Amino acid sequence: MEAWKLARDGASVRAPLLASDLHLPMKNNPMLNEEVARIFENMARVLAFKGQDRFRIMAYERAAVSLRDLEEDLAVIAEAGHLQEIPGIGHDLAEMIEEYVKTRSIRRYQRECRGIPEGLIELMAIPGLGPKTLALLSKRCRVKDFDSLKQAIDKGTLSRLPGFGQKKIDNLRRGIDLWLGGKQRMLLGVAMPLAEDLLENLRKIRLVERADVAGSIRRRRETIGDMDVLIISRDSPRALEQAVKLPVVKQVLALGDTRATVMIEGGIQVDIRSMPEESYGAALQYFTGSKQHNVHLRLLGRERGLKINEYGVFRGNKRLGGKDENEVYGLLKMPLIAPELREDRGEIEAALEERLPKLIDVGDLKGDLHTHTTFSDGKATLEEMVEHAAELGYEYIALTDHSPSERIARGLDLDRLEQKMEEIERLRKKRGNRKPHILCGAEVDILADGKLDYPDEILARLDVVVAAVHSAFRQARDRMTGRVLDAIANQHVDILGHPGGRQLGAREPVELDFERVVAAAIKAGVALEINGSMYRLDLTDVQAKAAQAAGALLAIGSDAHSTPQMDQIRFGVYQARRGWIEPRPVVNTWPFARLHRWLARHATRRHAISA
Ligand code: DGT
Ligand code: CA
Ligand code: CA
């Protein structure tokens, strides 16, 4: 139960599915903006639970969204007195933020929460469990926390309530599973920047000669349980003593001579182990895991009379190696296996037979084919996005704003699409020969019936078409598969965007006959996307591997809604690496000329695409 306990203000919460953009530069406290955003979000839920005025509720919701999009540290903005310049932050909210920056709590929030059990507030975050339903449950079934909710479901008390059919209860169960799964693990996109920040700080300690992250973060798993960090120091006890005093450390859970366990800002637990230099490689190997990979490796070692552990590789009492990770694999007669592959999914066999994939790298990318601008729901203008692409050294960028059905995301109707095309034309002229090539694209909804959200003659005029499902996620497998196959069959479609439709910890993947989709995509020459948004990472690693093996084309897209988010494409690359992906099938590793030939593969488009 302990793990589910949330501090009321959310500040010290072990918060897994943070919606924060922690890759943004927030120097002083990378979690501050997120902490306040979460309080505002909770505030909205509490007010909704109490049946309060909709506009007040929306104000808090909007403020939370706005804070999460912020690039600067709230403390810095507060100090400069500019809080009210943040969209959605008026006088009252600005005061609340100032109070939080000073005292780490907000009295008004405490006041609103009074009388509502803490456990109940927590439940408000369960997907699909709205405040009205929760209010009903609390009144009629005495639900006050997770335990009582679970009891009410299991004992069937719920089914006696009006409107609680089996379907609704099943949905609720799914929501709870998602929520639980998300609570216990943190998104890689959230954990990675925290890890990088911690390493940077550790390396500044003079007694620390080396520091690296191991465990699931090093393997770039999509979610992270805890953080495992290794250091080398000539004086471990003193190095660790200094490490636990770093400002990012919120709580010291254990401190010994060679190991410390701490809770850092952001609510993630970190194991720091100090290893002797001669064992460092073996320790890095051991603590990178995965456990299954290690078990397999040690079995292999045993067959060859070798003992492998975190201190080295031994024959009897004789140490054969362990200083570098390379040695560990070398002594087993295989090349170093990239951490992303270490899941015991055939990588050891492949290494022994020298057929490990030549994994794709961030540097292989020559462009981004999935981005949003202020034309739809992006934060940066078209020109700003293009400029950032230039800074990243890209050869091309596609600006793929939403289509009209995405009303909330301000999808472009035909008039505004026309304006966007003109704007792109202007920008091309203005930039002349400067890279990147600017491609006018769209992320077009695949409507519930399989039709696309723009007519064919419009699609034909676009340089890049990403088709994606954004509604009716619950369709049965046959229907959903047919819907996606219809989209793939449209000759204007180039990329199937986030094919699984999942959102980590928030929405399950759609039901889809993945093999048929891959086969159809291959036939049509459509690329399957590996979406780099840290909330999606979709295709999954396993799906990407299967798609590559079948011969499908792939595209890694950032799905950026701001310029800094364009850098999150690295998470797409990590996911691709976990899926054994090589550069070759990934269309946005291709030089522009080749990409252009592919985009123009159908005669009808050949003249449309502007080079
Ligand atoms: P996580 O934290 O759940 O995201 O996943 P990991 O992989 O980081 O797992 P963790 O933190 O429990 O342990 C770190 C690594 O240490 C793990 O990947 C492999 C190694 N390890 C831990 N326990 C065992 C074990 O019982 N046997 C073996 N062979 N390795 C272990
Ligand atoms: Ca771990
Ligand atoms: Ca651990």
Side-chain angles (χ1 to χ4, degrees):
M1 262 303 81
E2 208 47 35
W4 293 327
K5 246 188 141 132
L6 289 183
R8 180 155 286 206
D9 268 11
S12 59
V13 174
R14 151 129 226 236
L17 292 175
L18 297 188
S20 64
D21 285 332
L22 287 169
H23 52 285
L24 304 178
M26 287 189 277
K27 282 287 178 294
N28 303 349
N29 170 5
M31 294 309 296
L32 178 64
N33 296 20
E34 174 57 25
E35 286 169 10
V36 181
R38 208 170 319 135
I39 292 175
F40 286 171
E41 193 174 63
N42 275 351
M43 188 76 154
R45 289 173 181 151
V46 167
L47 294 177
F49 179 80
K50 296 194 199 170
Q52 297 251 345
D53 179 48
R54 253 190 42 149
F55 289 101
R56 267 188 81 198
I57 298 169
M58 275 165 53
Y60 283 107
E61 285 173 348
R62 211 174 316 129
V65 171
S66 182
L67 294 189
R68 284 180 174 135
D69 282 330
L70 212 59
E71 301 191 19
E72 301 83 13
D73 189 334
L74 270 182
V76 176
I77 305 173
E79 205 177 80
H82 292 169
L83 284 173
Q84 289 190 51
E85 286 164 32
I86 303 170
I89 304 294
H91 176 265
D92 287 7
L93 292 182
E95 273 191 347
M96 289 164 72
I97 295 173
E98 273 170 19
E99 185 185 348
Y100 189 82
V101 169
K102 283 201 198 98
T103 66
R104 290 290 150 130
S105 95
I106 298 177
R107 276 165 304 171
R108 190 180 318 180
Y109 176 59
Q110 312 278 14
R111 215 160 41 234
E112 293 289 356
C113 288
R114 218 165 281 157
I116 306 176
E118 223 167 284
L120 203 61
I121 296 175
E122 197 193 350
L123 298 182
M124 297 177 189
I126 295 177
L129 181 57
K132 282 207 188 101
T133 310
L134 201 57
L136 185 73
L137 294 184
S138 116
K139 211 155 67 211
R140 300 280 293 274
C141 308
R142 308 232 162 121
V143 168
K144 60 177 184 350
D145 55 16
F146 181 70
D147 277 347
S148 47
L149 172 65
K150 216 154 163 19
Q151 261 177 31
I153 296 175
D154 293 343
K155 284 197 187 145
T157 340
L158 239 57
S159 50
R160 270 175 258 141
L161 291 180
F164 273 79
Q166 196 52 46
K167 202 164 160 195
K168 178 150 181 171
I169 293 177
D170 286 346
N171 282 345
L172 183 56
R173 277 217 171 89
R174 265 203 295 274
I176 290 172
D177 285 347
L178 268 173
W179 177 72
L180 281 177
K183 278 183 70 58
Q184 284 147 12
R185 302 185 65 81
M186 183 184 264
L187 295 181
L188 178 67
V190 175
M192 250 328 261
L194 294 175
E196 285 160 351
D197 189 50
L198 177 66
L199 288 181
E200 200 181 303
N201 281 303
L202 283 172
R203 286 170 188 152
K204 280 188 198 139
I205 297 176
R206 292 190 62 170
L207 286 169
V208 174
E209 285 152 48
R210 203 179 150 176
D212 291 281
V213 69
S216 49
I217 296 189
R218 184 157 182 248
R219 302 199 312 281
R220 312 288 194 242
R221 259 193 79 174
E222 58 197 32
T223 61
I224 302 303
D226 73 350
M227 208 185 277
D228 305 278
V229 170
L230 298 181
I231 62 169
I232 299 181
S233 172
R234 256 162 299 181
D235 186 349
S236 295
R238 272 184 60 210
L240 289 172
E241 229 166 73
Q242 293 180 20
V244 303
K245 289 204 187 104
L246 287 172
V248 292
V249 173
K250 282 216 153 170
Q251 201 184 344
V252 182
L253 303 173
L255 176 62
D257 284 351
T258 59
R259 183 173 169 183
T261 302
V262 299
M263 187 69 86
I264 61 167
E265 254 160 26
I268 188 163
Q269 192 171 310
V270 187
D271 282 331
I272 307 173
R273 293 182 181 83
S274 179
M275 296 300 293
E277 197 174 354
E278 72 269 16
S279 294
Y280 196 71
L284 203 53
Q285 197 289 319
Y286 181 88
F287 290 111
T288 296
S290 66
K291 195 170 160 183
Q292 291 85 335
H293 174 89
N294 287 354
V295 167
H296 191 159
L297 213 61
R298 273 184 299 178
L299 204 67
L300 204 71
R302 200 175 315 153
E303 285 168 10
R304 297 169 185 198
L306 300 174
K307 194 173 102 195
I308 307 167
N309 59 28
E310 62 266 51
Y311 297 101
V313 181
F314 302 86
R315 190 182 302 281
N317 287 330
K318 188 167 183 270
R319 169 202 290 278
L320 302 180
K323 188 164 183 290
D324 295 314
E325 220 179 18
N326 257 323
E327 291 176 358
V328 177
Y329 289 95
L331 284 163
L332 288 166
K333 307 240 171 336
M334 61 176 94
L336 183 85
I337 298 176
E340 292 93 331
L341 298 181
R342 300 184 194 170
E343 297 291 346
D344 198 22
R345 292 178 182 155
E347 73 280 5
I348 292 177
E349 293 83 349
L352 288 170
E353 294 163 21
E354 289 186 30
R355 50 173 180 81
L356 281 172
K358 288 203 179 17
L359 294 180
I360 186 168
D361 235 317
V362 175
D364 292 320
L365 299 182
K366 295 201 168 56
D368 194 337
L369 299 176
H370 189 161
T371 67
H372 298 266
T373 74
T374 43
F375 269 96
S376 61
D377 55 346
K379 292 276 176 290
T381 63
L382 219 147
E383 186 161 7
E384 286 163 347
M385 293 297 276
V386 170
E387 194 48 54
H388 193 65
E391 282 161 22
L392 292 174
Y394 283 160
E395 259 189 62
Y396 44 85
I397 178 172
L399 303 145
T400 53
D401 287 297
H402 289 286
S403 60
S405 286
E406 286 296 290
R407 249 173 244 116
I408 302 170
R410 304 201 319 123
L412 275 56
D413 59 23
L414 296 184
D415 278 349
R416 292 190 41 247
L417 182 60
E418 208 67 56
Q419 280 172 30
K420 179 174 157 181
M421 288 175 171
E422 283 164 20
E423 165 111 17
I424 286 184
E425 212 38 67
R426 259 200 306 279
L427 194 57
R428 281 176 182 147
K429 288 220 178 76
K430 180 175 158 191
R431 296 180 62 87
N433 288 333
R434 288 174 58 206
K435 286 208 167 115
H437 293 278
I438 308 169
L439 299 171
C440 184
E443 178 177 12
V444 186
D445 268 26
I446 304 173
L447 303 173
D449 61 2
K451 289 207 182 68
L452 296 176
D453 200 20
Y454 282 130
D456 277 357
E457 52 286 10
I458 296 297
L459 295 177
R461 291 175 55 203
L462 294 169
D463 300 328
V464 177
V465 175
V466 179
V469 168
H470 289 112
S471 61
F473 295 103
R474 293 285 176 75
Q475 283 179 342
R477 187 177 163 97
D478 276 356
R479 200 135 167 243
M480 181 61 84
T481 305
R483 174 181 177 190
V484 170
L485 292 181
D486 281 354
I488 290 174
N490 183 306
Q491 61 166 332
H492 303 299
V493 170
D494 304 301
I495 296 169
L496 181 65
H498 43 75
R502 71 165 177 179
Q503 277 181 1
L504 287 163
R507 190 169 67 225
E508 287 180 292
V510 298
E511 297 278 345
L512 200 61
D513 186 336
F514 185 65
E515 271 177 40
R516 280 182 69 195
V517 168
V518 171
I522 293 170
K523 192 162 158 233
V526 165
L528 300 172
E529 182 179 61
I530 299 175
N531 188 290
S533 159
M534 63 172 164
Y535 308 107
R536 293 188 181 272
L537 297 177
D538 175 7
L539 304 174
T540 66
D541 46 9
V542 173
Q543 287 173 329
K545 189 178 180 193
Q548 174 178 260
L553 294 176
L554 300 164
I556 302 175
S558 69
D559 203 351
H561 286 68
S562 66
T563 49
Q565 279 185 356
M566 284 176 74
D567 303 316
Q568 83 179 353
I569 205 165
R570 69 172 169 143
F571 294 108
V573 173
Y574 298 153
Q575 180 87 339
R577 288 171 64 87
R578 288 180 54 82
W580 297 48
I581 302 305
E582 305 194 332
R584 191 178 28 88
V586 178
V587 297
N588 54 319
T589 65
W590 297 349
F592 183 69
R594 175 153 183 225
L595 181 86
H596 185 264
R597 273 201 304 282
W598 169 65
L599 291 171
R601 67 200 177 281
H602 295 296
T604 44
R605 300 266 304 281
R606 217 154 279 157
H607 303 293
I609 297 172
S610 9

